[in-house]
Amino acid sequence: MCMNETDALKRMIDDSNRIVFLGGAGVSTESGIADFRSENGIFEAIEKFGYPPETLLSHTFFVQQPDVFFRYYKSLLMTTDAKPNAAHDALAALEKSGKLTCVITQNIDGLHQLGGSKKVFELHGSIHRNHCMKCDRFFDAEYVKNYDGIPYCPCGGMIKPDVVLYEEQLDMDVLEGAIAHLMRADMLIVGGTSLVVYPAAGLINYYSGNRLVLINKSETPYDSYANLVIHESIGRVLSQVVS
């Protein structure tokens, strides 16, 4: 990241008081979590399980082939040993300073909370919340991950992860809360996402301010609309501008 970009980002942060961060898989890849939508992630899913991720993570597939679903889910998505990285730390610090009002994430790993962030809208749910489909009893991630095969509740009901599968709608309370913060924001930082997966990508349209910052290693469809675009590691960028 060049000095001009660093200075520009710092000035924007200094001039803002209601910053919102919208992040995607790129935030977690720096913690060693693979992006299942990447070329490698798609190849691995097909090679090992015979289906692309969109099929494996669909509601229909979960209902019809829960054994294969959980083998894929537990082996590739339940990364319970991952640790927060520099991006998570910087965002938590920014929130603690009173500048950042919330984090909106497409990730399901819970690393923002583990890194210290308090106000987090998890658009796609979390691996750390799981409920029995029969009695609604709660189970943590370790119970599901360590259960041999399809996880069941003592009551006999199958346990479903609190993650939004393909064909399922986002939680409206989470979505409405995220939108409310975006509409009040005086700065929006978008990081680690290609902004092509909807409806999450469409959230950027609820921001109407003039401090839109996009931090992503590759180009996005919204680069031309941003006030500042940085093609760099999200962790490196945020750690340089947030003390």
Side-chain angles (χ1 to χ4, degrees):
M1 185 168 65
C2 70
M3 189 60 67
N4 288 342
E5 291 175 338
T6 304
D7 292 341
L9 184 54
K10 282 183 177 179
R11 283 197 303 272
M12 287 185 181
I13 291 174
D14 289 342
D15 292 341
S16 304
N17 294 299
R18 296 186 308 280
I19 303 171
V20 168
F21 177 81
L22 172 61
V27 179
S28 293
T29 54
E30 295 181 27
S31 288
I33 296 178
D35 179 1
F36 71 84
R37 292 189 183 91
S38 69
E39 187 175 334
N40 287 339
I42 294 171
F43 175 80
E44 190 170 3
I46 295 175
E47 182 76 10
K48 290 185 177 180
F49 300 93
Y51 303 91
E54 289 80 2
T55 299
L56 290 162
L57 294 174
S58 68
H59 179 83
T60 298
F61 196 87
F62 169 76
V63 172
Q64 294 180 346
Q65 298 193 55
D67 54 334
V68 182
F69 169 88
F70 276 107
R71 281 197 289 114
Y72 172 69
Y73 177 75
K74 289 195 278 187
S75 65
L76 295 179
L77 272 73
M78 294 199 76
T79 48
T80 54
D81 56 346
K83 303 298 182 185
N85 59 55
H88 299 108
D89 294 341
L91 290 167
L94 201 57
E95 181 186 47
K96 191 174 182 179
S97 73
K99 290 279 189 180
L100 184 77
T101 64
C102 76
V103 167
I104 303 170
T105 180
Q106 300 175 66
N107 300 328
I108 61 175
D109 47 53
L111 290 181
H112 283 291
Q113 293 92 327
L114 193 60
S117 291
K118 305 298 182 185
K119 192 67 173 180
V120 182
F121 292 98
E122 296 173 308
L123 296 174
H124 296 153
S126 171
I127 64 170
H128 298 285
R129 296 188 301 272
N130 306 272
H131 292 86
C132 171
M133 298 174 69
K134 185 177 180 181
C135 72
D136 204 37
R137 179 177 171 180
F138 172 86
F139 295 89
D140 62 16
E142 293 301 327
Y143 181 92
V144 172
K145 188 169 186 177
N146 296 327
Y147 200 100
D148 186 19
I150 302 170
Y152 284 96
C153 172
C155 81
M158 186 168 71
I159 296 170
K160 182 183 184 298
D162 181 21
V163 297
V164 180
L165 302 177
Y166 288 97
E167 304 169 348
E168 295 180 345
Q169 291 186 337
L170 301 187
D171 184 302
M172 289 307 298
D173 290 336
V174 173
L175 186 58
E176 289 173 2
I179 290 172
H181 277 76
L182 283 165
M183 293 178 71
R184 293 194 297 266
D186 58 9
M187 180 176 181
L188 174 59
I189 302 174
V190 181
T193 173
S194 58
L195 290 173
V196 295
V197 178
Y198 284 81
L203 288 176
I204 194 172
N205 296 316
Y206 287 96
Y207 173 69
S208 59
N210 61 357
R211 299 189 192 104
L212 173 60
V213 180
L214 301 185
I215 307 170
N216 197 54
K217 289 184 178 179
S218 59
E219 294 182 358
T220 80
Y222 288 86
D223 281 14
S224 60
Y225 298 97
N227 303 99
L228 178 63
V229 178
I230 302 174
H231 293 302
E232 181 60 89
S233 156
I234 181 71
R236 174 184 284 183
V237 171
L238 292 182
S239 63
Q240 287 182 5
V241 297
V242 178
S243 56

